[in-house]
Amino acid sequence: MAGPTPVSALIHAATMVTAGVYMVARCSVLFALAPVAMQVVAVIGAATAIYAATIGLVQNDIKKVLAYSTISQLGYMFLALGVGAFASGIFHLMTHAFFKALLFLGSEA
């Protein structure tokens, strides 16, 4: 979709985007017992953060920039979870919900 309405953006942010981060954080006990799995999560998170931010730099539409920024921020969240900073990853998830919602509402015009 080209531009989400506030309601569809809220539904998207509340379900699809954050589900993976929340699931990994809730399964932190299992991930802590599997250091290789945590390393894979951290590497994929770092690669996602860098790759999405790089793509976002060359976009012309503000909503595409915000979308790639969201992907990049998710990469940072997974990076935090992968290195064992579970509280920091969830904290970033919560703060991201607020600042990204305000950015999307500001870009609706």
Side-chain angles (χ1 to χ4, degrees):
M1 71 187 147
T5 63
V7 173
S8 64
L10 178 64
I11 292 170
H12 179 74
T15 56
M16 294 183 282
V17 174
T18 60
V21 176
Y22 182 74
M23 182 198 69
V24 172
R26 288 288 294 181
C27 297
S28 62
V29 175
L30 295 176
F31 278 96
L33 295 173
V36 175
M38 285 185 66
Q39 185 176 14
V40 169
V41 170
V43 168
I44 291 174
T48 301
I50 293 169
Y51 186 66
T54 304
I55 294 172
L57 286 173
V58 297
Q59 297 300 314
N60 294 326
D61 184 23
I62 187 67
K63 291 181 184 176
K64 289 183 182 179
V65 172
L66 290 174
Y68 282 110
S69 169
T70 299
I71 297 169
S72 176
Q73 295 299 311
L74 285 170
Y76 285 125
M77 292 175 213
F78 277 112
L79 176 62
L81 296 175
V83 298
F86 298 107
S88 298
I90 291 297
F91 178 75
H92 187 95
L93 179 74
M94 292 297 295
T95 57
H96 175 265
F98 291 105
F99 75 74
K100 193 57 70 163
L102 292 173
L103 284 171
F104 265 110
L105 288 174
S107 71
E108 281 293 321

